[in-house]
Amino acid sequence: MMKFSGCLVYRFLLFIIWLSSFQDVAAHDKLNEHSSRSTTSELANPPGIGVSGPIQVSPSVIPKYASPALPWTPPMYPTFPDTYEPKLTGKCPTDFQAISSIIDTAASDCSQPFAALVGNVICCPQFVSLLHIFQGQHNVKSDKLVLPDAVATDCFSDIVSILVSRRANMTIPALCSVTSLNLTGGSCPVIDVTTFEKVVNSSKLLDACRTVDPLKECCRPICQPAIMEAALIISGHQMTVGDKIPLGGSNNVNTINDCKNVVFSYLSRKLPADKANAAFRILSSCKVNKACPLEFKEPTEVIKACRNVAAPSPSCCSSLNAYISGIQNQMLITNKQAIVCATVIGSMLRKGGVMTNIYELCDVDLKDFSVQAYGMQQGCLLRSYPADLIFDNTSGYSFTCDLTDNIAAPWPSSSSMTSLSLCAPEMSLPALPTSQTIKNHGFRNGGVGAFRLIIWVFLLYVVVRH
């Protein structure tokens, strides 16, 4: 890890500590602006259709943080809730201790101050994985792979209570669009191990998903099609993986999704918890990296300022700068998501008549699309592979920022998104700039080189005192 300036550390810590002072991430009172926003949901599967279940973040609980007015003094000691013994329903016949490590990981990944900030990439994938594993191991003496509705309600409540008692955010169910129904079989006709193994080639399924390769699975999947094939078989639909579900077949979609949950439950029953969790997180990363999770309005002002630009223009770059600044602080995203976000916005600009690569003219980097350090133009992109938040009593929460160097944002070759592929053989992250470019009135080349940034939230006190 390369050392970087104390000023940058200090500013990034100021942002994180300021963020940690918000104990409730719900922002329901700011939903009125949703009608004017454009999303990229068409780039990803709708909630519940993806291979690892509903992991999209509900917009209703994404915090809309505004920069604090200056002068501003952060809290000297960031406060995090204490852990405590949860009050359980007493109606969930499960040994939670058997999956305690998975629960601890989910509690850390969905910690109270950071849940919405990392919801799409870290929190929701881990929470959904926990539910899959719980569903499969809730009663290993039983042949059932699902929970009855009443028991599911009590167990779901207990799971959330345990997570909150370990510093997790209580809004996780709403944040991740998950309910107790995710623990039931829904409309899937096969809900027990005996019937499952009679109709599904379980050896083939387990071989495909026992060890999932994070470098290959997203582009040359092995486990994902095996899960889909098993779900199609137990749903009663005689289709192959590549077939399309008939139009108007919403019931078919729901049944197949319910059966996917049963398949995940079976895998959780047969695989060690840590193996299952690792596999499910990789499958989730394959899904979330396909789409831009940010919400943004039509870039009307940018189109107006940049339509006829062929050389660096202060007005164009300032307009682009303002537009991107308006979407930066929604959440932390991965480097691959940043590529998709940059391409989506670029496609919107090209569709509006901006043909020149204004990302290059205005020095726009991939990290400009993610959360920035307060008061500094330095962004954090998460790695595209599964990662976790880490908590310890000395340093607090930490997570790793990857690709924080000046990687140029890619400009799309057309106004269509159909040409974008993160799996094409020639596809790679844009190369580092080989020479210094002219500094324009927009974003910048920071000259910081590649480094990995680890944010230690409790170090602010040390920084301030020294």
Side-chain angles (χ1 to χ4, degrees), residues 41-361:
S41 58
E42 68 273 10
L43 299 178
N45 295 322
I49 295 180
V51 69
S52 54
I55 56 176
Q56 282 129 341
V57 174
S58 170
S60 64
V61 289
I62 295 177
K64 306 292 192 281
Y65 298 129
S67 297
L70 296 175
W72 170 74
T73 303
M76 184 62 71
Y77 293 98
T79 58
F80 295 99
D82 294 328
T83 59
Y84 58 90
E85 283 298 319
K87 183 178 180 180
L88 305 182
T89 64
K91 300 177 182 179
C92 181
T94 299
D95 178 16
F96 289 103
Q97 190 62 35
I99 55 172
S100 181
S101 63
I102 308 300
I103 293 175
D104 284 340
T105 300
S108 179
D109 286 348
C110 298
S111 61
Q112 191 171 96
F114 295 108
L117 196 67
V118 297
N120 180 267
V121 180
I122 297 177
C123 171
C124 292
Q126 182 58 43
F127 181 51
V128 171
S129 178
L130 167 61
L131 293 181
H132 289 322
I133 293 169
F134 173 83
Q135 183 178 342
Q137 299 191 11
H138 75 281
N139 187 356
V140 293
K141 295 181 180 180
S142 169
D143 194 47
K144 298 296 183 183
L145 291 170
V146 301
L147 283 70
D149 290 353
V151 177
T153 299
D154 292 326
C155 289
F156 186 81
S157 174
D158 284 352
I159 291 171
V160 174
S161 295
I162 293 172
L163 291 174
V164 173
S165 75
R166 301 184 188 185
R167 299 189 180 94
N169 197 299
M170 66 178 61
T171 66
I172 300 172
L175 179 71
C176 303
S177 303
V178 175
T179 69
S180 62
L181 293 177
N182 289 74
L183 298 175
T184 68
S187 58
C188 186
V190 176
I191 58 174
D192 61 88
V193 174
T194 301
T195 307
F196 186 96
E197 292 182 338
K198 283 182 180 179
V199 297
V200 173
N201 186 340
S202 56
S203 296
K204 176 182 176 183
L205 173 65
L206 291 171
D207 287 343
C209 297
R210 182 173 283 108
T211 303
V212 179
D213 189 335
L215 297 177
K216 298 179 180 179
E217 181 66 27
C218 297
C219 293
R220 293 183 292 279
I222 297 176
C223 180
Q224 294 173 79
I227 291 174
M228 176 61 83
E229 181 181 6
L232 289 172
I233 291 173
I234 65 175
S235 69
H237 295 281
Q238 300 301 316
M239 299 185 298
T240 60
V241 175
D243 290 341
K244 292 184 179 180
I245 298 174
L247 292 176
S250 58
N251 290 335
N252 292 342
V253 172
N254 291 335
T255 299
I256 292 173
N257 286 330
D258 290 338
C259 287
K260 281 184 184 178
N261 280 336
V262 173
V263 177
F264 280 113
S265 179
Y266 179 81
L267 289 171
S268 299
R269 176 74 65 92
K270 297 299 181 178
L271 298 177
D274 58 340
K275 288 276 189 180
N277 187 63
F280 298 161
R281 288 295 304 276
I282 293 170
L283 300 184
S284 293
S285 70
C286 292
K287 178 181 178 179
V288 300
N289 283 314
K290 291 179 180 178
C292 173
L294 304 179
E295 293 188 342
F296 34 78
K297 300 176 181 178
E298 289 291 331
T300 307
E301 296 301 319
V302 182
I303 293 173
K304 187 183 302 183
C306 303
R307 181 178 285 122
N308 299 315
V309 167
S313 163
S315 61
C316 171
C317 291
S318 294
S319 179
L320 180 62
N321 188 337
Y323 180 81
I324 295 180
S325 295
I327 64 175
Q328 283 173 338
N329 288 340
Q330 291 181 29
M331 67 183 75
L332 287 163
I333 62 176
T334 69
N335 42 33
K336 287 187 177 180
Q337 286 178 323
I339 292 175
V340 178
C341 292
T343 304
V344 171
I345 296 174
S347 297
M348 294 167 65
L349 293 172
R350 285 187 65 100
K351 190 175 182 179
V354 180
M355 298 294 106
T356 304
N357 181 354
I358 59 174
Y359 290 164
E360 182 178 9
L361 293 181

